[in-house]
Amino acid sequence: FFLMIRRPPRSTQSRSSAASDVYKRQELNNPLQEEYDYKVENANNPTLKIELRPTTRVRHYQERALSRMFVSGRARSGIIVLPCGAGKTLVGISAVNKVKKRTFIFCNGSVSVDQWYNETLKFTDIDRKRVVRFTSKKSDEMFDLNEAGILISTYKMVGDIKKRSAKAEQIISKVKSVEWGLSLIHISEPTRLLSISYAVFCLKKK
């Protein structure tokens, strides 16, 4: 299951959401209509212990975005488009909280990785050891991938096989071998859509 979160390209910010949707569909051949019964117990994809903190407030438009993804107990692959500053990260974290499965978050760079890491800890009660950053600049101690956790990395770290260290290669090999219940793909530059395809689709996923 893929939930794609991205900033609208400048050329389409003033256009209709339908036009923006056509733009995205042309750029990335992604099966947007796949559905996932995330409430079913699965030994290969253990439950993630996570809850939103009582102080976390999800705004009405964020709730509306999430409602398009979760229908009748099933999660649907798709794209959420929100402008800069609208809380795309919290929408993604709320999706993680709802699915409660092993999650991989793809980001453009290390700054975005740190943002997702810090806000996940800010908005939820998840054990800090269950949230791991994995980049060329910062790699936290990896949680047991046979258990549930959140891994936050970049497209380049996963997809660029020429620049990985031996240790990173071992981690990536393990990452590819387990099943992921949710992948959040944070895209802020349309020109990168095609370049991330390999990194995204190499994962074993629901």
Side-chain angles (χ1 to χ4, degrees):
F1 165 65
F2 283 81
L3 168 62
M4 303 186 67
I5 303 177
R6 56 166 297 164
R7 181 182 308 151
R10 292 184 179 86
S11 62
T12 62
Q13 283 183 0
S14 61
R15 300 179 188 176
S16 69
S17 59
S20 183
D21 186 59
V22 170
Y23 174 90
K24 294 186 291 295
R25 286 169 185 261
Q26 290 176 339
E27 290 294 323
L28 184 61
N29 183 24
N30 189 42
L32 300 183
Q33 298 304 315
E34 286 186 354
E35 292 190 354
Y36 169 34
D37 191 352
Y38 63 93
K39 293 184 178 181
V40 173
E41 295 292 331
N42 183 350
N44 294 323
N45 208 330
T47 300
L48 178 66
K49 294 182 179 180
I50 183 173
E51 296 292 343
L52 294 179
R53 295 186 185 279
T55 55
T56 300
R57 295 289 181 266
V58 180
R59 298 176 181 176
H60 69 279
Y61 63 85
Q62 295 168 326
E63 290 279 11
R64 183 179 179 185
L66 287 166
S67 70
R68 299 294 181 91
M69 293 298 174
F70 299 98
V71 180
S72 300
R74 299 181 67 86
R76 298 186 299 178
S77 297
I79 299 174
I80 288 181
V81 181
L82 289 173
C84 183
K88 295 182 294 295
T89 307
L90 180 54
V91 173
I93 292 169
S94 297
V96 177
N97 179 66
K98 195 169 186 70
V99 174
K100 299 186 188 300
K101 298 292 184 183
R102 190 185 292 119
T103 298
F104 199 119
I105 302 175
F106 288 94
C107 302
N108 288 324
S110 57
V111 173
S112 183
V113 168
D114 286 340
Q115 177 187 346
W116 278 90
Y117 175 82
N118 291 329
E119 296 202 9
T120 297
L121 296 178
K122 174 183 176 181
F123 291 128
T124 76
D125 63 358
I126 191 171
D127 184 346
R128 182 181 295 267
K129 295 180 180 179
R130 295 288 172 183
V131 187
V132 171
R133 291 166 290 185
F134 179 55
T135 70
S136 58
K137 295 182 178 181
K138 176 70 175 181
S139 291
D140 300 315
E141 183 178 350
M142 185 62 67
F143 59 87
D144 184 352
L145 284 171
N146 292 316
E147 300 177 359
I150 301 174
L151 181 58
I152 313 172
S153 189
T154 64
Y155 315 121
K156 182 172 290 188
M157 193 69 179
V158 179
D160 194 348
I161 61 176
K162 296 181 180 179
K163 298 182 179 181
R164 289 201 294 259
S165 66
K167 182 178 180 180
E169 189 63 46
Q170 291 178 351
I171 294 174
I172 290 296
S173 179
K174 180 64 175 176
V175 164
K176 292 179 180 179
S177 71
V178 300
E179 185 176 291
W180 296 85
L182 176 63
S183 291
L184 296 177
I185 308 163
H186 186 182
I187 302 173
S188 59
E189 297 181 26
T191 55
R192 297 191 180 195
L193 287 173
L194 294 179
S195 67
I196 69 170
S197 295
Y198 173 76
V200 172
F201 291 105
C202 73
L203 295 183
K204 182 187 295 186
K205 53 195 179 295
K206 290 298 293 183

